[in-house]
Amino acid sequence: GVNIFRSEDLLKSNPTPAPILTRVTRYNGQQDTMLEQVSGLHQLERVVIQPSDLYFTLHYALPNYSSPRRYQYQTFLKGYDEAWTYQGGTPYIRLNRLPVGDYELLVRGSDANGNWSNAMLQVPIVVLPAVYQTSWFWGLMALLLFIGIYAFFQYRLERKLEVERLRTKLSSDLHDEVSGLL
């Protein structure tokens, strides 16, 4: 047999594909359960995080199986991070207690030769507010406070009117009594 080694073949590289989302897990602290989604991720429009979810993990992978142990990843969370974060060979990101809001996770990967993918995995993330953090809740609380203050002042006015009626009745009774004696 004859072996041929061409150094220019080593420098050729196919474009690195964009990473794909492989699993989404959420830990619900109120129910003490781990929720995991592994199917239908390609149709996933956004990841919705409930207020009771203490943390969630997004797993991703490069769909290139030449040397999967040597892949590297970088992540960027729009609306939270200021720069790309190097993840090394770790194919997931765990996010704890994100503030309420809308985010977009960008993930890019590199193959064994260090060629970073031009296309990125984009995952919209929505962190929902707790009930007490919504504007309608505070509006309802303000309305209840207003009703409470109004009821308190109405009660005080009613008591004052009742005392005034009693005084008027006593004074008219006293007047009738005195005029009867005279």
Side-chain angles (χ1 to χ4, degrees):
V2 177
N3 292 331
I4 297 175
F5 176 77
R6 297 183 183 175
S7 61
E8 63 271 3
D9 289 344
L10 290 176
L11 299 177
K12 287 183 184 176
S13 65
N14 295 329
T16 305
I20 57 172
L21 192 61
T22 58
R23 182 173 32 163
V24 176
T25 58
R26 297 181 295 138
Y27 175 70
N28 188 311
Q30 286 181 342
Q31 298 174 354
D32 194 26
T33 58
M34 183 70 76
L35 306 169
E36 185 171 24
Q37 181 179 359
V38 292
S39 63
L41 295 174
H42 63 283
Q43 299 170 346
L44 189 66
E45 292 180 19
R46 61 188 175 158
V47 175
V48 178
I49 305 303
Q50 301 297 327
S52 58
D53 294 338
L54 298 181
Y55 68 87
F56 64 100
T57 308
L58 300 169
H59 297 259
Y60 40 81
L62 278 176
N64 182 358
Y65 304 107
S66 59
S67 57
R69 295 195 183 271
R70 299 182 59 199
Y71 292 152
Q72 300 175 51
Y73 301 96
Q74 288 182 335
T75 59
F76 180 72
L77 188 61
K78 275 187 185 178
Y80 191 76
D81 288 339
E82 295 181 14
W84 284 89
T85 304
Y86 179 71
Q87 299 290 337
T90 308
Y92 62 88
I93 184 170
R94 178 178 166 169
L95 300 168
N96 300 318
R97 295 189 182 254
L98 274 180
V100 173
D102 296 335
Y103 303 95
E104 185 175 23
L105 178 68
L106 303 175
V107 181
R108 64 182 177 189
S110 75
D111 60 13
N113 294 331
N115 300 316
W116 290 97
S117 58
N118 292 330
M120 294 177 266
L121 169 65
Q122 298 177 341
V123 182
I125 300 171
V126 177
V127 180
L128 299 177
V131 173
Y132 59 86
Q133 294 174 321
T134 59
S135 58
W136 64 265
F137 175 80
W138 287 108
L140 182 63
M141 288 296 113
L143 180 66
L144 288 174
L145 180 64
F146 175 74
I147 289 172
I149 291 171
Y150 177 76
F152 173 72
F153 283 112
Q154 196 67 22
Y155 174 77
R156 283 187 54 196
L157 179 64
E158 196 61 41
R159 292 294 139 235
K160 285 182 180 182
L161 286 174
E162 190 176 301
V163 167
E164 190 60 36
R165 281 188 217 116
L166 182 61
R167 283 183 183 165
T168 306
K169 184 177 184 251
L170 285 174
S171 100
S172 75
D173 286 349
L174 184 62
H175 183 267
D176 291 343
E177 188 91 19
V178 168
S179 55
L181 286 173
L182 289 178

